[in-house]
Amino acid sequence: METGDELRAQIATLVRRYHDARFGDTPFVPGKDLVHYAGRVFDADELCRLVDASLDFYLTANRYADHFEAEFAEYLGLSHAILVNSGSSANLVALTALTSPKLGARRLKPGDEVVTVAAGFPTTVAPILQNNLVPVFVDVRLGDYTADPERLRDAIGPKTRAIMMAHTLGVPFDLDVVSQLAEAHHLWVVEDNCDALGSRYRGRLTGSFGHLATSSFYPAHHITMGEGGAVVTNDDLLARIARSVRDWGRDCYCSGGENNTCGTRFGQQCGTLPRGFDHKYVYSHLGYNLKVTDMQAAIGCAQLQKLDTFVSHRKANFARLMEILQPYADRLLLPTATAHSDPSWFGFVITVRDQAGFTRDDLVKYLEAHRIETRSLFAGNLLRHPAFQDVPRRVVGPLTNSDIVTNQTFFIGVYPGLDTPRLDYIEDVFARFMRGERQPAPSLISVARGR
Amino acid sequence: MTQKLACLVEHIADHGERVYTVGLRPARRAPRFRAGQFLHLTLDPYNAGGFWPDSRVFSIASSPSRPDRLSISYSVRGRYTARMEHELSVGREVWVKMPYGDFVIAKDRPVVLFAGGTGISAFTAFLEDLPSADPQPVTLVYGARRTSLLVYRETVERCQTRAGALATHYFAEDASSWEAGSSDVHPGRVSAAAVWAQLPQPCATAFYISGPPAMLQTVSDDLRAHGVTREAIHIDAWE
């Protein structure tokens, strides 16, 4: 009879064959196949590891999660990575960690202010409100869509205790100014690095500057595990707190299926509990359960090995799109990097200029009709959304650009799944629109095929 | 960031009276850890996709600056350590998971380290990593049943030569062992009272205690009796 290891090897061979049969290359059909703005890019390795983890049937986080956390922290040059089930969860865990009583006088308390931007993704801001803190909104700059540094300086008030912002679509915000403000005013910094894995500022990877940073591994992101995210830090105490917040708020740090890792499970005095109360069920935070499974982590392990290649592809695709769209710069505001930054682009952001002669909606509808996916720059001005209209907040200066983002901005993809035929097709469709075409041309498919 | 590592037993030092030091070579670089942290060691086979077997915790005695080598010290106290004594041999594979714990010594104030027996292994990495020009006053109070069981004494003396701010006080319980020419080893057990008068700034000092349970209690009570706050006392406690 075959051993488990032998059967596992046979299954792996079959999985590779399955991958080739099910996911092998198919030619791109312009106008018929969707040109995605993002998506999972994978090969047989991801499938093999996923199946391998499933055969362990450990289910909860185990060897692949341990491996991913170690490798991911190493990639960023940090001591700790804590896997969670999404980038949004990572933001929630990171900011909630800063409210921990274990931080003493430095903890964030209800009513403390957290500086952020008005134009972005809602779950960068939601954790501020979920923790009864007050967001202080500043406007973004057009072009790089990150916080205006002057507004950031103006935003710091007597109650300001933290800055939490995203590196918008891969573009690092001004980390010089943020670091200076943090030092001068003793502020916590949380980098929402969900859209910027692989971006650099002054040569150093984003996600390694803040006290805490977050990543997302949703399929649209630089690497994926389906649903997934991570909190990273160099601070041992913050790491311990973040794990607690992720794991029901418990004081114990045993992984799933483990007991008495601390060696003092029945020997501690916690709160007003009886001495020796089972430490596995002692809670030091109001926490959640935001863990991943080992199957998700297994996919992440394979993806992490491809990260450098993915980042290179994203940069190359961005450069090609810049080349394609540069001739239309009089009508389209094209994306720019912030000073000292080398973005690992999430998308190619375009703002339709006032005098373009067409609207953002005209262009987006045309692209979508031609099977080129577009996305808004997420929520645009968050304060115009029902959920945020009446929340406690402070707004510093006008949010003019955030409103422009709401009305005139969108992005298309740069993800590694975009190959030369797809980029050629994008070039062709933009050219037709800019020449004045406003309806899908029946001949488009055959024209593009002939390239 | 904890990891599970296969390790080969590279050497075993038998100090006598069932006290051992075990050197381990991890199959891959050990994860970053801090002096004072501990590992779990299991003698049983571990399938990386399965559950972690029965294991015991040991302070990591080796320096974090050498992630290619790990060492622990143990004395035979129960069934598991008796198994270790019986089963560990050079060349054998064991699994460890590490690092854990927050018994990490402050570097911004004077510290006094009370070590009993193999409890010294919670401090050795810290002592080995003391910078030569470090002005931090460090006092080590180190005791064992016999002088011969002060197994890290040579290591401590080497650290002392390098780091001038390290003061040491040795104790041995067995009078016959110290009378035989160990003039710097005092008779008796580790206690706060024995060194209290020689501490430079007891009020500003952090105290760390690692050793057998009875010693932890005695020294802790002793410190409290001398007016040391509960917050200033750090105990490396095990069940």
Side-chain angles (χ1 to χ4, degrees), chain A residues 57-79:
Chain A
F57 210 64
Y58 198 90
L59 302 180
T60 55
N62 192 32
R63 60 176 171 131
Y64 278 114
D66 288 349
H67 184 76
F68 183 89
E69 288 185 340
E71 294 289 313
F72 192 65
E74 183 79 22
Y75 172 79
L76 288 166
L78 298 172
S79 303

Side-chain angles (χ1 to χ4, degrees), chain A residues 331-383:
Chain A
R331 285 163 280 178
L332 306 177
L333 176 65
L334 302 179
T336 51
T338 43
H340 317 298
S341 77
D342 177 17
S344 169
W345 302 94
F346 185 92
F348 193 96
V349 200
I350 296 164
T351 295
V352 175
R353 292 185 188 275
D354 289 336
Q355 71 282 17
F358 53 85
T359 66
R360 187 265 312 268
D361 292 353
D362 293 335
L363 178 52
V364 162
K365 282 176 185 166
Y366 185 84
L367 293 171
E368 294 280 353
H370 287 77
R371 310 283 290 158
I372 296 172
E373 258 189 344
T374 65
R375 286 291 182 272
S376 297
L377 206 172
F378 306 130
N381 184 348
L382 280 163
L383 298 185

Side-chain angles (χ1 to χ4, degrees), chain A residues 81 236 261 263-267, chain B residues 1 34 40 97 100 102 237 239:
Chain A
D236 294 344
T261 305
T264 53
R265 180 178 169 191
F266 298 106
Chain B
M1 191 91 59
R34 292 176 296 157
H40 274 252
K97 60 176 184 176
Y100 296 101
D102 47 16
E239 287 169 356

Side-chain angles (χ1 to χ4, degrees), chain B residues 111-237:
Chain B
V111 294
V112 179
L113 317 177
F114 293 98
T118 55
I120 183 71
S121 56
F123 300 129
T124 49
F126 170 79
L127 295 171
E128 289 213 57
D129 289 349
L130 276 177
S132 55
D134 194 355
Q136 180 188 20
V138 178
T139 303
L140 173 68
V141 187
Y142 178 19
R145 277 174 283 159
R146 299 174 173 280
T147 305
S148 62
L149 294 179
L150 293 168
V151 296
Y152 282 94
R153 189 174 165 187
E154 275 184 32
T155 304
V156 171
E157 285 171 353
R158 200 173 61 242
C159 299
Q160 196 169 23
T161 308
R162 198 187 64 248
L166 171 61
T168 54
H169 305 270
Y170 298 106
F171 291 85
E173 292 174 35
D174 183 342
S176 61
S177 71
W178 59 267
E179 280 171 355
S182 300
S183 59
D184 59 339
V185 180
H186 305 288
R189 294 183 172 183
V190 165
S191 74
V195 296
W196 187 258
Q198 296 165 60
L199 297 181
Q201 308 161 275
C203 296
T205 299
F207 299 86
Y208 296 83
I209 318 170
S210 174
M215 176 209 145
L216 300 180
Q217 192 64 53
T218 305
V219 175
S220 175
D221 290 348
D222 210 2
L223 289 170
R224 297 283 290 141
H226 279 88
V228 177
T229 62
R230 203 179 294 280
E231 293 71 34
I233 301 171
H234 307 271
I235 298 174
D236 197 22

